[in-house]
Amino acid sequence: MRTILLSSAAAVALSAALAAHAHADAFNRVASFPVNANIPGEMGQESESSAEIIDATEDGMMLVYSDSPLGGIGMIDISDPANPAAAGFVALDGEPTAVAVRAGHAIVGLNTSESYTEPSGTIVSVDLSSGEVAHSCDLGGQPDSVAVSPDGSLVAIAIENERDEDLDDGVIPQMPAGFAVTFALDGSAIDCDSRVVADLTGLAEVAGDDPEPEFVDINAANEVVVTLQENNHIAIFNGETGEIVSHFSAGAVDLDNVDIDEERALTFDGTLQGVVREPDAVKWLDENRIVTANEGDYEGGSRGFTIFSKDGDALYESGLSFEYEVAMIGHYPERRSGNKGVEPEGMEVAEIGGATHIFLLSERGSVIGVYRDNPEGEPELVQILPTALGPEGAVAIPGRNLVAVANEVDLIEDGGVRSHVTIYELGEGEAQYPTIRSMMDDAGRPVGFGALSGLAADPEQPGILYAVNDSFYAMQPTIFTIDANQTPARIIAATRVTRGGANAQLLDLEGITPDGEGGFWLASEGRTDRMIPHGLYHVNADGEIEESVAFPPELLAVEKRFGAEGVTRVGDTLWVAIQREWADDEDGFVKLVAYNTGTEEWGAVRYPLEQKGAGWVGLSEIVAHGDHVYIIERDNQIGAAAALKKIFRVPLAEMQPAALGGELPVVSKEEVRDLLPDMAAFGGYALDKVEGLAVDTNGDFFAVTDNDGVDDSNGETLFMRLGQLEGS
């Protein structure tokens, strides 16, 4: 038996935690703003645009973000945070690396370097009302992070003078060395003559003559903390004199039960010794403590965060706890296992809702870990929130109970999702996300999941569902048992699909339906160019394949790549939804293929697709209920381009299969539910892959999205409770 039962102790702990927070305030995403809405008309929507570092005006009504590829700063009107509006773009003479807002001006670091060996840059003050540069000071090097002191009297800049990653495999030292610099501020005016340089050479054990400052933050005493990421070092200096107050190695950690192989499976069973933290973002928690996001660079990355004293004592180390939480909500990036896992990179610290919170951004998992600080003990994980793709910077607006995150990845060249700024609000009520999560196993390791591609309901137990993952996890095909009677829905068991006792290979599971005897029929989408056969598989309750049914020659003779995308059982007949047109299909029609498990006969009917817009239109799921089969039909578009994510139904009376290879009857369909509003209710952009649909014994409908294993995806899995649909 290859079923992983989840830890009962962990289940009890989670239930207690959920109960404690059931009536507490929660952060929820209220809007996602596509930053391409700020692209000036003369530049064109095909231009790459990216929100990276973000700040807010003092009144909290406008967000300002740096846009490196577009070469300027963008502004967003958030007077109504649930309906953010484009507020313009200011082009600048250089590459903006960071932005901080003060007195109606954006303080922006601009990289003007001609080469790695001749770095240069400026710090400018941009009037947000006019878009004019009011002040500009030479930096003497290439800037990275920018921070303004709490009292507004200083601006600090990390001068990274970054290395050439293509030179000697990026190994440092590579001159010239970096440093940090401060200037006095008078409102928005930068006093160029007040320039103070903090010499950071000779501090680190790693390439001490070539410090590469990454991130700066300033406390109320005008002390500046700076991370030297590649040097695995942290320094604190007096912002008014440049004198070093303290410095120390960021240190290393040992990681046990970590996923270190990119083998297309979630296996948290490896060990890493002496992993250097190499922190990116750093923030002051109070006058004596700092917190770091340990993203790593070319030597390390410990996958979590650390709280240090000002003198360098490690007061708290998260270890793998953050990465585990990310895995248990389906956001773990398997293809980063051999590198730095979830890569905590950005961070914000703010007192909001009566407590100091740490907002930890996972660049690769596309989530925010929200922690409540506890100066006397360990920080408490409060929530994990979904972001758009590749969160880079964050800003809290405590006076409005808001948090905004800049998400840098723009997939315009691949026809994918654009860069977004996501906005969250702390308010009464329960957390909307995650919508589904798993638990620890009895060995204390997370049971990860992702790429949920098919859904089915238990024939007897209300709210008990089953899902399968697709070929992204080719070495770990799994049937997940889901208890949807809980909120969020909870994966309570993971049953591996096996062949001869070993995890089955050459499967791309896209559909599941109970066989009525405790087992399941599974539909696998074939790719003969990858030696993955099109077929149906009968598995027992333990997941062992007992029967394999290949598609018949009449189907294989006209096959195309996009095959079985769902399966449902009506008596002795299995109905399989074929996603897109095959070679013998008239444009705009796809097959619903029938296989009789008793007679072993094949047949099909034709299903009429909706009219194509951008991209293609096809089927994602089929499920029988009552007198109909219900079908998900969707386009392959994402974000603002998404137009079709709907449930239709076909009368079972019309499902009379004809022999393959001949004329097939055309069924009629009726629209039942547009799923775009259901997805919009979560405050994000429209996801492209709605792939699972099920109806339980109470007649309640459920739908789920496929997150592609977090590959070029923000990792969201939306498990949607649709209730009883009208007419069903």
Side-chain angles (χ1 to χ4, degrees):
M1 184 173 181
R2 299 280 294 174
T3 298
I4 298 172
L5 296 176
L6 304 183
S7 167
S8 58
V12 171
L14 177 70
S15 298
L18 291 175
H21 293 290
H23 301 291
D25 291 348
F27 288 96
N28 280 307
R29 184 178 51 191
V30 294
S32 294
F33 176 82
V35 300
N36 62 293
N38 263 333
I39 297 178
E42 65 271 16
M43 291 187 176
Q45 283 297 306
E46 69 279 3
S47 302
E48 183 182 357
S49 179
S50 174
E52 295 176 302
I53 304 302
I54 192 166
D55 204 357
T57 54
E58 281 99 332
D59 63 3
M61 296 296 173
M62 181 179 291
L63 298 172
V64 183
Y65 59 88
S66 62
D67 190 329
S68 171
L70 211 59
I73 57 172
M75 294 167 282
I76 308 171
D77 179 351
I78 58 166
S79 51
D80 179 0
N83 294 285
F89 178 83
V90 178
L92 298 169
D93 293 329
E95 175 200 3
T97 61
V99 62
V101 177
R102 193 73 184 180
H105 289 65
I107 313 298
V108 186
L110 290 178
N111 176 19
T112 59
S113 304
E114 295 184 3
S115 68
Y116 290 106
T117 57
E118 297 182 2
S120 63
T122 59
I123 185 79
V124 300
S125 175
V126 181
D127 188 326
L128 293 175
S129 61
S130 68
E132 299 295 323
V133 174
H135 304 89
S136 178
C137 301
D138 181 69
L139 291 173
Q142 170 255 317
D144 196 330
S145 171
V146 173
V148 172
S149 62
D151 65 3
S153 66
L154 284 179
V155 58
I157 308 100
I159 308 300
E160 182 176 14
N161 291 343
E162 63 184 347
R163 73 189 194 279
D164 182 351
E165 295 185 17
D166 294 326
L167 177 64
D168 296 331
D169 295 325
V171 176
I172 56 175
Q174 290 184 21
M175 299 304 176
F179 53 94
V181 63
T182 64
F183 294 92
L185 275 180
D186 182 4
S188 63
I190 308 171
D191 181 358
C192 297
D193 294 333
S194 67
R195 183 173 186 264
V196 171
V197 175
D199 182 1
L200 303 171
T201 59
L203 304 182
E205 295 179 4
V206 179
D209 57 343
D210 180 25
E212 295 207 8
E214 188 76 21
F215 203 99
V216 291
D217 193 36
I218 312 176
N219 67 13
N222 281 350
E223 293 175 323
V224 182
V225 60
V226 55
T227 55
L228 314 180
Q229 185 173 27
E230 289 87 343
N231 311 89
N232 194 41
H233 210 77
I234 297 168
I236 298 171
F237 65 91
N238 185 309
E240 296 169 349
T241 67
E243 178 185 357
I244 302 297
V245 175
S246 67
H247 70 91
F248 46 90
S249 170
V253 297
D254 296 334
L255 301 176
D256 294 319
N257 290 330
V258 59
D259 193 338
I260 58 176
D261 295 316
E262 297 168 19
E263 79 280 45
R264 309 297 288 273
L266 296 173
T267 52
F268 296 90
D269 57 5
T271 299
L272 294 172
Q273 298 292 322
V275 180
V276 290
R277 293 186 172 101
E278 291 185 340
D280 189 321
V282 62
K283 288 285 186 177
W284 288 96
L285 277 171
D286 52 37
E287 300 305 296
N288 297 300
R289 296 180 302 140
I290 60 172
V291 57
T292 61
N294 302 325
E295 177 202 22
D297 201 280
Y298 67 102
E299 290 289 342
S302 57
R303 308 188 181 209
F305 68 101
T306 309
I307 297 175
F308 292 98
S309 73
K310 192 165 72 172
D311 297 325
D313 296 327
L315 305 177
Y316 171 76
E317 167 57 47
S318 71
L320 290 169
S321 62
F322 176 59
E323 184 157 283
Y324 281 10
E325 292 291 338
V326 173
M328 288 188 290
I329 64 168
H331 281 251
Y332 180 76
E334 159 60 16
R335 286 186 174 170
R336 300 296 296 177
S337 292
N339 198 334
K340 296 174 284 185
V342 297
E343 291 191 33
E345 180 180 15
M347 182 184 291
E348 169 69 316
V349 169
E351 185 175 335
I352 187 168
T356 298
H357 287 84
I358 301 166
F359 300 91
L360 181 67
L361 309 184
S362 165
E363 180 185 12
R364 299 293 178 169
S366 294
V367 296
I368 314 166
V370 183
Y371 290 82
R372 184 178 292 116
D373 181 37
N374 176 10
E376 305 303 323
E378 296 187 355
E380 175 194 3
L381 176 64
V382 178
Q383 289 179 255
I384 294 189
L385 300 170
T387 69
L389 189 54
E392 177 79 7
V395 60
I397 307 174
R400 301 188 67 197
N401 284 340
L402 298 177
V403 176
V405 172
N407 304 274
E408 67 175 338
V409 177
D410 186 353
L411 297 179
I412 179 62
E413 292 186 1
D414 300 323
V417 70
R418 305 303 302 263
S419 171
H420 280 69
V421 168
T422 44
I423 303 170
Y424 310 82
E425 185 172 25
L426 178 65
E428 294 182 358
E430 297 183 4
Q432 287 185 321
Y433 201 84
T435 58
I436 183 171
R437 64 166 290 143
S438 68
M439 300 285 289
M440 296 282 195
D441 64 18
D442 285 330
R445 299 174 299 189
V447 176
F449 71 95
L452 300 183
S453 56
L455 197 64
D458 188 274
E460 297 178 357
Q461 305 176 78
I464 300 300
L465 311 175
Y466 305 98
V468 289
N469 55 10
D470 67 22
S471 62
F472 187 91
Y473 302 104
M475 302 302 292
Q476 198 178 56
T478 303
I479 299 170
F480 297 100
T481 304
I482 301 169
D483 183 354
N485 298 303
Q486 305 184 39
T487 303
R490 185 161 63 91
I491 292 174
I492 57 175
T495 302
R496 307 303 184 203
V497 177
T498 56
R499 186 186 283 114
N503 285 2
Q505 299 182 35
L506 301 179
L507 296 178
D508 183 7
L509 300 181
E510 297 286 350
I512 179 171
T513 189
D515 66 358
E517 299 176 353
F520 302 92
W521 281 96
L522 309 177
S524 179
E525 183 177 24
R527 284 288 302 269
T528 54
D529 58 330
R530 297 181 181 176
M531 301 186 70
I532 301 175
H534 298 274
L536 298 169
Y537 296 88
H538 192 196
V539 302
N540 61 25
D542 294 333
E544 177 72 13
I545 295 174
E546 295 185 333
E547 181 182 2
S548 302
V549 181
F551 276 15
E554 297 91 338
L555 270 181
L556 295 178
V558 294
E559 71 159 324
K560 285 191 176 180
R561 170 185 168 187
F562 297 93
E565 280 288 319
V567 62
T568 192
R569 185 175 65 89
V570 181
D572 290 335
T573 299
L574 299 175
W575 282 98
V576 181
I578 304 298
Q579 186 176 63
R580 291 174 60 185
E581 299 97 334
W582 279 18
D584 63 336
D585 289 320
E586 180 184 345
D587 189 43
F589 290 86
V590 293
K591 295 183 184 71
L592 304 179
V593 174
Y595 173 70
N596 189 296
T597 58
T599 65
E600 301 183 355
E601 294 177 307
W602 291 85
V605 297
R606 289 196 299 162
Y607 175 94
L609 294 171
E610 294 293 280
Q611 186 173 358
K612 292 181 175 66
W616 52 258
V617 168
L619 308 186
S620 282
E621 181 67 289
I622 182 170
V623 58
H625 173 65
D627 296 329
H628 296 81
V629 292
Y630 292 79
I631 291 171
I632 291 180
E633 189 174 343
R634 68 172 179 89
D635 57 20
N636 67 331
Q637 302 299 292
I638 192 169
L644 176 63
K645 318 288 179 187
K646 292 183 177 181
I647 301 173
F648 293 88
R649 69 178 185 180
V650 174
L652 273 175
E654 296 183 20
M655 303 280 283
Q656 302 298 323
L660 295 169
E663 187 68 24
L664 301 178
V666 178
V667 297
S668 63
K669 69 179 187 180
E670 174 188 5
E671 181 178 330
V672 176
R673 179 81 163 237
D674 184 353
L675 294 173
L676 284 173
D678 293 289
M679 289 191 285
F682 292 94
Y685 52 76
L687 304 176
D688 56 340
K689 293 189 174 183
V690 187
E691 296 245 331
L693 183 68
V695 192
D696 74 359
T697 57
N698 286 340
D700 290 323
F701 283 71
F702 303 86
V704 71
T705 60
D706 175 357
N707 71 359
D708 278 335
V710 203
D711 206 20
D712 286 337
S713 160
N714 73 331
E716 280 189 56
T717 296
L718 294 183
F719 182 85
M720 294 175 281
R721 305 165 188 269
L722 307 178
Q724 298 189 10
L725 304 188
E726 185 176 352
S728 64

